[in-house]
Amino acid sequence: MADVAEKAGVSRALVSIVFRNQAGAGQETRERVLRVADEIGYRPDNAARLLARGRSRTLGVMFTVQQTFHTDLITGIYPEAERLGYDVLLSGATHGRSEAKAVEALLSHRCEAVILLGPDAEPAFLDELGQRTVAVSVSRRVPRARVDFVHSAEGKGVRQAMDHLVELGHRRIVHIDGGRGPGSAERRRAYRAAMRRHGLEAEARVIPGHHTEESGVETGRLLLAERDGGRPLPTAVLAGNDRCAMGLLMALTRAGVEVPRDLSVVGYDDSHLSHLMPIGLTTVRQDALLMAEHAVRFAVERLEERDREPREAVLDPKLVVRGTSGPAPEGPCPA
Amino acid sequence: MADVAEKAGVSRALVSIVFRNQAGAGQETRERVLRVADEIGYRPDNAARLLARGRSRTLGVMFTVQQTFHTDLITGIYPEAERLGYDVLLSGATHGRSEAKAVEALLSHRCEAVILLGPDAEPAFLDELGQRTVAVSVSRRVPRARVDFVHSAEGKGVRQAMDHLVELGHRRIVHIDGGRGPGSAERRRAYRAAMRRHGLEAEARVIPGHHTEESGVETGRLLLAERDGGRPLPTAVLAGNDRCAMGLLMALTRAGVEVPRDLSVVGYDDSHLSHLMPIGLTTVRQDALLMAEHAVRFAVERLEERDREPREAVLDPKLVVRGTSGPAPEGPCPA
DNA sequence: GCGCGCTACTAGCGCGCTCTAGTTCGAGTA
DNA sequence: TACTCGAACTAGAGCGCGCTAGTAGCGCGC
């Protein structure tokens, strides 16, 4: 920077002004400074910048690598953050790199706020984080923590899916649970409520699982084993999310079960996996772009107005009917 | 930091020593400092740290959101970087956020080296980047640029796939090209060579495409239209990558073409999509973990020994036979 | 001629840390 | 006793910027 200043015949402060696009520099000087900087190959150093100005204007995003829905969200986070003048830093939680570690990395890089995509951490951890900094949780509700929250109305999504299935004549509808996964608890509750509402309480069954393909495969195996033991297959399965649904489909199709003729499957997320299936996965769409925008806006607004209370955004999901759901094997029989 | 120092009754320098785990502090003092820091809630500020020590020990990783293979790579990058004492910063290229922008973000955050996952940028850009900093390209060869390079032996992978198909009796084998995608040129070349080697030169056909599901779908439509126009379907397709293969499968299966009975499909990458298909995608596996480790090691070693020449690592891929490849419809007929 | 306001610019402190070059002190050695 | 030496600790400069408070110069109205 000093070099640029000298070569352009101005002071460092002036160079600083030019690079911050601040008023107080003549047009001519401005151009000269930029030209010289380009020649020398000077680019402002972010670390020093952050240090000097106290604020980093950087949002940290923690996500789970492999979760395709998260990449959809990230795609939406970048432009919205840029629009509001914020930088974005990504930190992935993976096998062997815990969420805590990922978040720690973000904080030590001076992120002013953290956006957590489908966090799986302890509520206590999240609350503490919320006290320490501005935090937004996407997809996972954290009851009493000081954390903004963006999610889709899980209940509504599940209800739409269930109504769709019941309308198709399904009665033996099973739900694969998402365990501690984001949204699972709400989905499970909504499933139970829907079964009750349709008078299918006796048929209700929640199979424990989680939001991975493996879980779907396992459940598939379980159901097949039960069938071989005499218990009939369910006619429809509401999976915990798309990945789980995909695993289930794989296991069933391999065993000769035809979807949707023998059994219907509904996923959740409408991650870009959904339309990959040859027949297309019927699923509940969450508007990732909109969720991302809300998350960013919440973070930024809490940043600019520090004592503001955390808020909650609930977006309406929408059932997307594709090829994996069809009439119940027994044919329609209105309950 | 000053607060911690004061409260612990030591100098700031000593606190610094403790937090850097450096020799020069008594065991007792060390514990006291850490305890006080914890009480106050002090955590060292990375920006200041970087600034002060001149080196950031941070690797930047540019990846393409949505590319599942990249997430596989990232999973491998984190632990290896940590092992070598480096921090990792992620920056995604998405729709509307160019690779240049993503890289710029990394550099301005003081990354010492950049690892580019399947970069799609101009060779000139990459070369310039290589001059400016330590850069490693994964999957994409950059002819004369000052950039390390990690990839799998595309030729070998394609050859294995082609041998597999020919062995199954296929002769009309089509290749969907990956356009400018990483590895495409090599794969195309190897496909042509394999066809020639098997005396199928006359049957060789490369359909332009790229590494996305959409491209696969389009090609599927094209082939079906051609069939309806009288030109027979190929008996096997070697797709540019897994995503393309998935799209193709979707299009074909929807139209009633049965895989692998009517047509075999082979992908490339063995991204975690591959085992999702009900019947499992036959594909060429690239060892993401190993590639990630090499990339990190290259970057670090060039960092520690600055005048070292860029290197190239070529890893052997392996054909993974799953359900989408089977005997040619006409039955085996050794060429 | 004077003060006024305005634009274009500058000096220099401080952000939170690391690091070099010390100082202090007690144990070991001749 | 006089010294060396290493371990434990400290003072203070400096990393590359942003920012506040200021100065220089100029046209303006009275």
Side-chain angles (χ1 to χ4, degrees), chain A residues 158-166 173 191 194-195 198 238:
Chain A
V158 168
R159 198 179 322 143
Q160 286 176 59
M162 294 297 289
D163 288 354
H164 169 64
L165 289 173
V166 170
I173 308 173
Y191 160 79
M195 288 299 269
H198 287 291
L238 175 68

Side-chain angles (χ1 to χ4, degrees), chain A residues 140-194:
Chain A
R140 185 185 199 82
R141 158 170 269 131
V142 195
R144 273 165 307 278
R146 193 172 169 70
V147 164
D148 288 280
F149 182 40
V150 178
H151 65 142
S152 65
E154 313 285 357
K156 281 194 197 167
V158 168
R159 198 179 322 143
Q160 286 176 59
M162 294 297 289
D163 288 354
H164 169 64
L165 289 173
V166 170
E167 223 163 79
L168 287 168
H170 293 276
R171 298 181 50 83
R172 257 197 334 281
I173 308 173
V174 161
H175 175 48
I176 309 179
D177 185 31
R180 300 170 33 79
S184 300
E186 289 91 339
R187 290 176 203 168
R188 196 185 320 133
R189 247 194 314 271
Y191 160 79
R192 288 233 168 81

